[in-house]
Amino acid sequence: DAKTTQPTSMDCAEGRAANLPCNHSTISGNEYVYWYRQIHSQGPQYIIHGLKNNETNEMASLIITEDRKSSTLILPHATLRDTAVYYCIVVNTNAGKSTFGDGTTLTVKP
Amino acid sequence: NAGVTQTPKFQVLKTGQSMTLQCAQDMNHEYMSWYRQDPGMGLRLIHYSVGAGITDQGEVPNGYNVSRSTTEDFPLRLLSAAPSQTSVYFCASSYTRTVSNYGYTFGSGTRLTVV
């Protein structure tokens, strides 16, 4: 499975957009990009996923570069409740396992 | 409520003891997995299962056993607990082994301390 690289931590002002980058330069054609977040010590929560097209749902937007080597998760109007660890992972459509890295700790500040 | 249920929520073990962490889901999910999360770290995959009767190893399988006799249950057994196994354990499930529109559903975790 492709490895992902994320910044260790980021800050964002409340009400502003939070843009969380992820590098997955070794991603292969049948691998999807998934994003999860973990608030405090709770179980991670699914946010969004995509293959090559940009995706949007009620929680966030996912922008994937044309070469698919990186992606950005966008929280359009961050709130204090969005403070969490955000994980970017790749999922192989032919494999049965996914590995998580250390993620990015996003702190939303008033 | 539908979801992934993990029991117990907290557990203290003495070195050398064995125990089973329980995980059950009622969503008819095919795929189930176990992760451990050490303080300040990300999640590491222990074992996973793509269906009843099928299990495989993840990144850190040593010291743990699993079985999948039913679709609903995926217990994790610690054979002889060691302090290095002090961690938070998360169980996750998904409708499919590969790509799912809903991703993984995680349980609330079991916080294990080995003394």
Side-chain angles (χ1 to χ4, degrees):
Chain A
D1 294 338
K3 298 291 186 183
T4 62
T5 303
Q6 299 177 254
T8 301
S9 63
M10 296 181 63
D11 291 340
C12 178
E14 187 178 20
R16 304 297 294 269
N19 296 282
L20 291 87
C22 179
N23 180 285
H24 32 79
S25 58
T26 60
I27 194 169
S28 59
N30 61 353
E31 289 183 322
Y32 284 68
V33 179
Y34 274 73
W35 283 83
Y36 291 81
R37 73 180 182 183
Q38 186 176 27
I39 297 174
H40 294 301
S41 300
Q42 301 174 17
Q45 173 192 24
Y46 164 80
I47 301 173
I48 197 167
H49 74 284
L51 181 62
K52 52 185 176 182
N53 296 324
N54 297 337
E55 303 288 345
T56 296
N57 62 21
E58 64 278 5
M59 291 182 67
S61 294
L62 175 60
I63 307 298
I64 302 175
T65 58
E66 190 169 348
D67 63 8
R68 303 207 325 121
K69 293 185 177 181
S70 65
S71 61
T72 301
L73 178 75
I74 301 173
L75 308 178
H77 305 287
T79 70
L80 299 179
R81 289 174 296 179
D82 292 321
T83 292
V85 179
Y86 288 78
Y87 297 98
C88 165
I89 68 171
V90 293
V91 177
N92 191 311
T93 56
N94 296 322
K97 61 182 180 180
S98 297
T99 55
F100 285 70
D102 291 337
T104 296
T105 298
L106 174 68
T107 303
V108 181
K109 298 184 175 181
Chain B
N1 293 332
V4 177
T5 302
Q6 290 185 236
T7 56
K9 294 189 181 303
F10 300 93
Q11 183 70 50
V12 178
L13 285 179
K14 294 182 178 179
T15 298
Q17 286 185 317
S18 63
M19 78 160 293
T20 299
L21 280 63
Q22 302 291 344
C23 176
Q25 52 89 10
D26 58 1
M27 299 171 284
N28 200 31
H29 281 177
E30 182 181 70
Y31 177 87
M32 296 185 75
S33 58
W34 277 101
Y35 290 87
R36 62 175 287 175
Q37 185 173 36
D38 299 334
M41 306 289 286
L43 287 83
R44 290 185 292 171
L45 181 66
I46 305 172
H47 285 285
Y48 65 99
S49 169
V50 298
I54 306 171
T55 64
D56 207 344
Q57 297 181 349
E59 303 171 87
V60 289
N62 293 338
Y64 307 95
N65 273 355
V66 291
S67 60
R68 185 94 179 271
S69 57
T70 67
T71 300
E72 295 78 18
D73 301 297
F74 190 44
L76 177 72
R77 284 182 289 277
L78 278 69
L79 308 175
S80 177
S84 61
Q85 293 180 304
T86 293
S87 190
V88 180
Y89 292 83
F90 289 103
C91 179
S93 72
S94 176
Y95 182 72
T96 175
R97 62 178 287 179
T98 56
V99 176
S100 163
N101 285 333
Y102 303 99
Y104 295 151
T105 300
F106 282 83
S108 58
T110 294
R111 285 146 184 81
L112 176 68
T113 302
V114 183
V115 298

